[in-house]
Amino acid sequence: MKYKNILFYAALLALIASGCKKANIAVDLTEDTTGNSGIHGDVFGIWSKGSTKRVTGDIIIPEGKTLVIEEGVIVIMDTLTKPEIIVKGNLYSMGTPDNPVKFTIEENLRTDSRKFGKQWGGILAAPTSAELLLDNTILEYGGATTTESSTSVKMGLYKPGSGENLPALWYSNVNGKLVVTNCTFRYFNEDCTYIEGGKIIFSNNAFYCTGITGGEGINIKSGCIADVAYNLFYATNTNALKLSNSGDRTPQAHVIAYNNTILNTGWRRPTVKGGSIWVEATVFAELHNNLFANARFGIKRDTKKTEDARSVLSQNLYYGFDQATVDQFQPSKDVLAGKNDVIGKKAGDNDPKFVNYPLSTPMNNPDFNNSWDFHVQAGSPAIGAGTTSFVRNFANGLVMNGYTYSSPAPSSTIGAFGAKN
């Protein structure tokens, strides 16, 4: 037996004896698996805190195996091979606010010419993936177009056939669990997420500067029970949220979306599909306390495939800097209004009083300034206008890798950020 194998098995036995629960093989197998040519092929174990991993080909987390990515890990994706991350087992990306995990490309390649992605694939979770966690994780510059040789195409994952621009994240296990919290999605060619099943929490995330031909922030289909709360959506090309029961999976899609802030969405999509929130195909949607500022349209419905009759909308706030924007969110046959919504009639009505975001920013602006502060100030019509009298799907939480992640409690201040004195 080779010396390094003796060390490996000794380490493994020690970890088993200590009762480690973080991964089913709690060592970094990168070197053993891939040698010096970069990471590709089957990968599982732990990627240790603060390390840098260069992915040069598609990687696969095998069914029944787990990859834990610790805080501060930087995952550099090769822009020539445009790798995909295929999750057949479990993936836990566990960053912190000070040391997030980052899926990106080489620093010298992060230029304006690449800001709509297609530089690598995405994270694609097969129906065998029981749990997927992204916590304090940044995903950027992905969304490459699939080809006949793509691993996802060969495995029949995401959409059939080649020629599809991948989302940052695809999840598809109706019996699985997905938690995405405190994450940033940016610089993707189309959708940030495309979800086709599972018990799901999206909370405290930022989705911005994404989509050039399509592009939703969160795209949810049948088979999903989801809470979507305290997220920021800025300049998504199409909608912030697309909520649909399409796909004929069980259970029926039920989404509770509350206390989200949605700005400048939909304007770069030339068709009527560009907007703020789109509901269709008998989705059961509950939409409360969402703040729409300069978004294209209000909550839009497909008049041929309407939402479930149990759907409820209430206490959402709308602001438009100009009259054309205000006119597009007025209730109509295909634009929904809710109980006690705050909807003005004139440009400038219901100024949310953001701390420092200029509401005059062009609505087709795709660029994001990290110094913008979307808290609302004293005197904002958002303060106290929301509701807390609804029941979240996962108030008691989902257990992921031994930790409980709960849907955050709603706030009576409309929007994702609360008030700042």
Side-chain angles (χ1 to χ4, degrees):
M1 183 179 292
K2 293 183 179 179
Y3 179 67
K4 71 174 182 178
N5 287 340
I6 293 173
L7 292 177
F8 164 73
Y9 286 110
L12 176 58
L13 289 171
L15 286 164
I16 292 172
S18 67
C20 179
K21 297 180 180 180
K22 292 185 71 176
N24 52 359
I25 294 185
V27 293
D28 187 344
L29 297 183
T30 300
E31 186 175 71
D32 292 323
T33 304
T34 63
N36 295 320
S37 59
I39 302 172
H40 59 275
D42 288 358
V43 175
F44 50 95
I46 291 180
W47 285 358
S48 300
K49 174 181 176 180
S51 60
T52 297
K53 305 296 181 184
R54 283 183 165 77
V55 177
T56 55
D58 294 346
I59 61 174
I60 300 172
I61 302 169
E63 185 175 353
K65 302 291 186 181
T66 292
L67 176 63
V68 174
I69 305 177
E70 294 186 331
E71 64 179 276
V73 172
I74 299 176
V75 185
I76 305 292
M77 308 298 284
D78 184 80
T79 58
L80 296 178
T81 59
K82 301 184 187 301
E84 300 173 346
I85 299 174
I86 307 295
V87 185
K88 300 176 76 175
N90 300 321
L91 171 63
Y92 306 110
S93 177
M94 305 179 71
T96 65
D98 292 333
N99 292 292
V101 173
K102 192 170 188 177
F103 292 86
T104 187
I105 58 178
E106 292 285 2
E107 185 173 3
N108 66 307
L109 299 178
R110 300 172 206 163
T111 61
D112 282 348
S113 65
R114 300 173 193 254
K115 71 179 179 181
F116 289 115
K118 303 188 81 169
Q119 303 305 300
W120 61 281
I123 298 174
L124 309 172
T128 56
S129 176
E131 296 184 356
L132 198 155
L133 168 69
L134 300 178
D135 187 359
N136 281 286
T137 298
I138 298 169
L139 299 97
E140 60 185 12
Y141 293 104
T145 306
T146 58
T147 68
E148 292 295 335
S149 61
S150 297
T151 299
S152 60
V153 173
K154 292 177 181 178
M155 289 185 174
L157 305 179
Y158 187 46
K159 295 182 179 180
S162 60
E164 298 287 346
N165 296 326
L166 292 172
L169 172 65
W170 175 69
Y171 192 79
S172 61
N173 184 355
V174 296
N175 298 309
K177 293 180 287 186
L178 169 68
V179 173
V180 181
T181 185
N182 306 307
C183 294
T184 297
F185 294 77
R186 60 192 179 201
Y187 315 138
F188 277 78
N189 193 259
E190 290 196 13
D191 289 357
C192 292
T193 67
Y194 195 99
I195 313 300
E196 296 186 281
K199 297 177 180 179
I200 300 151
I201 297 172
F202 279 97
S203 63
N204 301 106
N205 304 295
F207 302 82
Y208 59 83
C209 305
T210 187
I212 194 167
T213 53
E216 324 281 357
I218 298 175
N219 193 338
I220 287 179
K221 306 299 185 187
S222 62
C224 296
I225 305 296
D227 287 338
V228 178
Y230 295 94
N231 301 286
L232 169 68
F233 301 88
Y234 182 85
T236 52
N237 187 49
T238 310
N239 299 290
L241 304 177
K242 183 175 182 180
L243 310 178
S244 175
N245 191 48
S246 63
D248 299 319
R249 287 171 294 272
T250 300
Q252 176 190 18
H254 179 201
V255 184
I256 303 175
Y258 60 97
N259 287 104
N260 298 288
T261 294
I262 297 169
L263 295 99
N264 285 35
T265 56
W267 290 102
R268 292 181 292 111
R269 178 73 179 256
T271 69
V272 294
K273 286 189 175 182
S276 56
I277 298 178
W278 182 282
V279 295
E280 66 172 21
T282 71
V283 66
F284 179 13
E286 300 182 58
L287 310 175
H288 309 285
N289 307 342
N290 299 295
L291 195 164
F292 302 90
N294 293 337
R296 188 180 180 205
F297 299 115
I299 297 170
K300 213 166 192 317
R301 74 194 311 190
D302 187 336
T303 56
K304 296 179 181 178
K305 300 178 182 178
T306 57
E307 68 284 357
D308 187 286
R310 295 171 295 170
S311 297
V312 179
L313 288 70
S314 71
Q315 275 102 324
N316 300 293
L317 183 150
Y318 297 83
Y319 167 87
F321 181 75
D322 59 27
Q323 193 61 41
T325 302
V326 173
D327 291 344
Q328 289 193 82
F329 58 63
Q330 298 303 314
S332 65
K333 180 180 178 181
D334 60 351
V335 176
L336 298 171
K339 180 181 179 181
N340 297 322
D341 278 356
V342 182
I343 304 177
K345 297 287 188 180
K346 303 188 301 296
D349 284 353
N350 308 318
D351 183 341
K353 298 186 183 298
F354 293 128
V355 168
N356 70 358
Y357 174 72
L359 288 163
S360 60
T361 302
M363 294 168 203
N364 62 354
N365 168 54
D367 298 319
F368 190 80
N369 186 330
N370 283 299
S371 70
W372 287 335
D373 187 338
F374 298 103
H375 288 86
V376 297
Q377 301 179 79
S380 169
I383 297 173
T387 177
T388 59
S389 59
F390 58 91
V391 179
R392 295 158 278 158
N393 284 312
F394 304 113
N396 293 326
L398 296 173
V399 178
M400 304 282 284
N401 196 30
Y403 298 90
T404 299
Y405 294 83
S406 300
S407 302
S411 169
S412 62
T413 295
I414 295 173
F417 297 93
K420 181 179 285 187
N421 295 329

